[in-house]
Amino acid sequence: MNTTTTAEQTAIEGMGDLAPTEPAHMIARVNALAIRMVLPFVAQQDIRYYLNGINIRPLDNGGAMIIATDGHRYIVARDPHGFVEREVIVSVSKDAMKHTGSSKHTLDVMSNGAAMISGEVTQPLFIQPGNSLIDAAFPRIERVASVTGYKEGISGAVNPKYLADALLIGKSFGGSIRFFTRDSDSPLTFVLGGVGELECFGGIMKMRESFETLSAWFPLPGEVETLDDI
């Protein structure tokens, strides 16, 4: 009678010990409205693949920070009740966004890469197919975010689409939006207010255009002709 165990057989065949699969567990849960809020600033099919996802980080004083950027603008939301075991970058599909219209819904991310939008009693409303986790290092927004020397208002050359997206976020969530600027080169910063317990701010990089002289095609000034000279 053959009494060789499975472990012995795998060792004989050079396969080594088979480690048991670790059960998946939740590594992040944040307010679905925060995800909806930052979505317009997520990059689309960027070769910097990590920008095509949303960065979720734990905060030292509790809660979660949710960040999106396409390299030209950024947005940061804070969910004071968010849970984050470790920093992650998550790809969120457009189909998932259909279920993010309520502050009682959450985005839940699992250690195996599964992601879902859950309802009030944690029942899944949408389960995203495939692995949603992006393995990369997300850029640190702290390097460009600042309000030192800023005053309320808008100055400098700003991409009108980016400005319209920021205004639309404020309108969509029924909150106020305020813009702050320092000079023509520093990012235009905006702060969103009145969105429940969520806090949100962002920045838009200025366009590198100048208008110091008239265009070359414009005629140079000459002697003024009068009707008497004609």
Side-chain angles (χ1 to χ4, degrees), residues 135-158:
D135 185 15
F138 203 81
R140 285 311 189 237
I141 300 301
E142 299 93 312
R143 296 176 180 175
V144 297
S146 173
V147 293
T148 303
Y150 275 66
K151 296 181 179 179
E152 190 160 5
I154 299 175
S155 69
V158 183

Side-chain angles (χ1 to χ4, degrees), residues 18-114:
L18 295 177
T21 303
E22 180 183 349
H25 65 282
M26 184 182 296
I27 56 175
R29 165 174 280 179
V30 294
N31 192 318
L33 274 185
I35 300 298
R36 191 180 190 91
M37 192 179 296
V38 305
L39 183 67
F41 283 29
V42 174
Q44 302 296 322
Q45 298 180 337
D46 198 300
I47 58 173
R48 298 164 295 181
Y49 62 96
Y50 46 86
L51 298 185
N52 299 318
I54 295 173
N55 184 221
I56 304 176
R57 293 164 52 184
L59 290 169
D60 293 339
N61 58 351
M65 184 166 67
I66 302 96
I67 311 117
T69 180
D70 61 5
H72 303 286
R73 52 191 176 157
Y74 69 88
I75 188 168
V76 179
R78 174 181 175 261
D79 177 5
H81 304 296
F83 160 76
V84 191
E85 181 181 275
R86 60 179 173 85
E87 180 178 349
V88 294
I89 306 174
V90 186
S91 174
V92 181
S93 70
K94 292 183 178 179
D95 290 333
M97 300 311 298
K98 299 175 183 177
H99 304 278
T100 59
S102 171
S103 61
K104 296 181 180 180
H105 296 174
T106 59
L107 170 70
D108 299 340
V109 185
M110 308 298 289
S111 58
N112 63 358

Side-chain angles (χ1 to χ4, degrees), residues 74 141-156 158 178-191 201-206 208:
Y74 69 88
I141 300 301
E142 299 93 312
R143 296 176 180 175
V144 297
S146 173
V147 293
T148 303
Y150 275 66
K151 296 181 179 179
E152 190 160 5
I154 299 175
S155 69
V158 183
R178 301 172 64 189
F179 292 93
F180 299 85
T181 192
R182 182 171 61 187
D183 51 48
S184 60
D185 294 324
S186 301
L188 176 68
T189 298
F190 63 89
V191 178
F201 71 92
I204 302 172
M205 305 306 167
K206 300 287 178 61
R208 301 302 181 184

